[in-house]
Structures are given as C-alpha cells and as structure tokens.
Amino acid sequence: MDLKTLREVAQVSDPVERARLLSRLMTEEQGLVTEAAKMRRQAIAEARESGMSLEEIAGRLGVSPGRISQMRKGPTARAPEGPASPAPRVLVQRALPTEPAVRGSKSLFLAEAERQGLRADRQMLYVGLEPASDHVAACLRVEPGVDIVARRKMMTANDVPVRIATSYFRADLFGDTRLAEPEFVKPSLQSALIALGYAFGHAEENLTARPPTAFERETLELEPGEWVVQVLRASYSTEDTPIHILETICAANRHVFSIGQVSGYDEF
C-alpha cells in the first residue's frame, strides 16, 4: 500500500465501505496506519452525521458497537483525569493437543479458563463470508480468495483481551446451515457438526510465533514489540473432508502453552 492507494480509497463515496477498505489496508500493511486510522475515524464520523447508528455501522463492518466507539476515539481522545491503571496481566494456559473433553465442551476457552480460576468471557466480532487466506485455504482445500464462512470471537480473561479465535468452514458445505448464522451455536459447534452427519476423523495443530497485524494489535491491546502466537487446528471427518479450521491468535505474553506427549512412542 502506498499513499496513492490510500488517497484512492479516500475518494470512495460510501463512508462505511471506505472504512471497511481502510481496515483491510491497515491489516495488510502496518505502514501509514496512523493516517489510515485518522481517515477511518473521519469516515465513521461522516456515517454518523448521515444518520446511521453505531449498531448499523458495526453491523456493516462486522464488529461490535463497542469496537466502533474505540475506532472513533483514536489516539487523540482526551486523556482521563489522574493516572490510568494498566490492565492487569494474566496468564492463560492453552493445551496442545486439546483434550477431547475440553474440545467437546460449550467453549474450549471458557472450559480452560474455568479450570484455571479465571473470569472468562467471549464476544462475537464477526460472522459471515470472507476471502480465504492462503494458509486457511490450504487446510480447507479450496483456492485462496474463495469465499468461506468465518466466525470470529474475542476472548477475555479477568477483563483482559487474550485471544482472537476464528472458526472457518467451507461455504459450499456449511453456507446454508446454522454455522453461518450470527449467534453462538448452542449447545456447541461440535454437536452441530455431529447433527449435520459428520464424524471426527483426525486433526492437525500447528503453532507459529510472529508479530501481530494491525487488527490483532488493536483488538488485543498489545504494546509495541509484543508478539502473538498463532495456533492453527485443522479438523477432518472420517471421510477426510475438511470440516473445521480453528485459527487462534494468542497474546504471547499472556499465555502458557502446555504440550502433551503421546505415550508409548518416545524415549528418555
């Protein structure tokens, strides 16, 4: 992304579409983030002046109304009176591979956090179609850029954001099911997949440490220099059909990863 591209996006007449394009550019390129964030605030302000509510803007951008409020404030917001207390640090355990009892629960994160005595919560950020990234497309065995179903949530522990978890599904298999609907799937995703006739076959989990994207840094409220750990779990049915890809972006300094050892296949 260069300044010319940024100026072209600034000419988009629809303010919400302009904000969406700017969000995508900010994620792909971390340069010019400050200027893009300023322009995004202007776009949201224009949408508000045209009569749109925060809920309407949030719905079109696929985020929560609270997130829109954060976007509107930006770094120029008036500082609070007196010293601000930083969010308390937390450490959340993330087991690899995931225990079957935890995987089959209402929520992997809620079940793990409850075991650790943490006050956990989750917030749905987005449910809908989006282009498949290269690594997700490879797991789902589709072409990069093909529309897939995404279900993106933010997880908090003791009110501190710790993870962004996104479930991906092939649109040709699940686009017309309740997995594509905006609510949380009850009683669990696992039960919904079983009800659709799929039996678990095998899964693969990969862990990668990397710098965050602009979206991840903002959402997880990371300090400069902090990294994230990406856990990618690809699950396949007994017929080897790609069923569920779970990408979990973890704030690195807020997690401890417990790695399980398969018994009977190793030496001292």
Side-chain angles (χ1 to χ4, degrees):
M1 178 176 67
D2 54 21
L3 190 56
K4 178 182 177 182
T5 302
L6 199 58
R7 286 172 175 166
E8 290 175 352
V9 174
Q11 301 305 312
V12 174
S13 58
D14 184 335
V16 178
E17 177 64 9
R18 193 189 322 146
R20 187 185 68 81
L21 291 172
L22 289 166
S23 292
R24 176 175 292 182
L25 290 174
M26 290 166 65
T27 299
E28 294 174 350
E29 293 287 341
Q30 295 187 25
L32 300 180
V33 168
T34 300
E35 185 63 23
K38 177 182 177 182
M39 294 169 67
R40 182 175 65 181
R41 289 196 299 275
Q42 293 172 342
I44 292 173
E46 286 182 34
R48 288 285 288 147
E49 291 171 359
S50 70
M52 293 184 69
S53 67
L54 291 180
E55 289 74 16
E56 290 173 325
I57 299 172
R60 289 190 59 182
L61 291 181
V63 299
S64 68
R67 182 73 185 107
I68 295 296
S69 295
Q70 293 176 346
M71 291 179 182
R72 293 173 68 198
K73 293 177 182 177
T76 60
R78 184 174 180 268
E81 297 295 334
S85 300
R89 289 185 175 274
V90 294
L91 281 179
V92 182
Q93 293 183 13
R94 171 67 162 91
L96 292 172
T98 308
E99 297 179 36
V102 174
R103 173 63 56 188
S105 64
K106 172 184 176 182
S107 164
L108 181 157
F109 173 72
L110 295 181
E112 285 185 328
E114 181 180 352
R115 289 184 177 186
Q116 299 163 46
L118 296 170
R119 185 177 68 259
D121 199 3
R122 56 181 182 165
Q123 174 188 353
M124 190 67 76
L125 299 179
Y126 174 75
V127 178
L129 297 178
E130 67 180 39
S133 61
D134 289 348
H135 63 286
V136 172
C139 293
L140 286 176
R141 299 171 186 164
V142 297
E143 291 296 321
V146 168
D147 278 347
I148 57 175
V149 177
R151 302 180 57 87
R152 183 167 295 111
K153 302 178 291 292
M154 181 178 70
M155 316 298 196
T156 61
N158 294 351
D159 298 323
V160 178
V162 292
R163 297 181 195 170
I164 303 168
T166 307
S167 292
Y168 295 105
F169 305 91
R170 283 175 47 163
D172 59 336
L173 298 178
F174 300 102
D176 295 325
T177 71
R178 61 191 180 114
L179 297 182
E181 296 176 357
E183 319 66 39
F184 285 103
V185 179
K186 298 180 180 179
S188 68
L189 278 176
Q190 306 305 314
S191 62
L193 291 170
I194 293 172
L196 289 170
Y198 295 100
F200 176 77
H202 71 282
E204 303 168 1
E205 287 187 275
N206 292 290
L207 183 150
T208 305
R210 58 171 173 78
T213 65
F215 169 75
E216 293 162 355
R217 185 172 59 248
E218 288 185 21
T219 304
L220 293 174
E221 299 175 8
L222 301 176
E223 297 295 331
E226 288 190 58
W227 278 37
V228 295
V229 173
Q230 172 187 291
V231 181
L232 188 67
R233 177 184 170 91
S235 297
Y236 301 87
S237 71
T238 50
E239 298 178 347
D240 200 34
T241 301
I243 300 300
H244 178 204
I245 309 303
L246 177 63
E247 180 186 60
T248 308
I249 306 300
C250 306
N253 67 342
R254 301 169 198 169
H255 281 79
V256 173
F257 296 92
S258 175
I259 311 298
Q261 174 61 55
V262 179
S263 61
Y265 296 94
D266 207 351
E267 301 176 358
F268 286 108

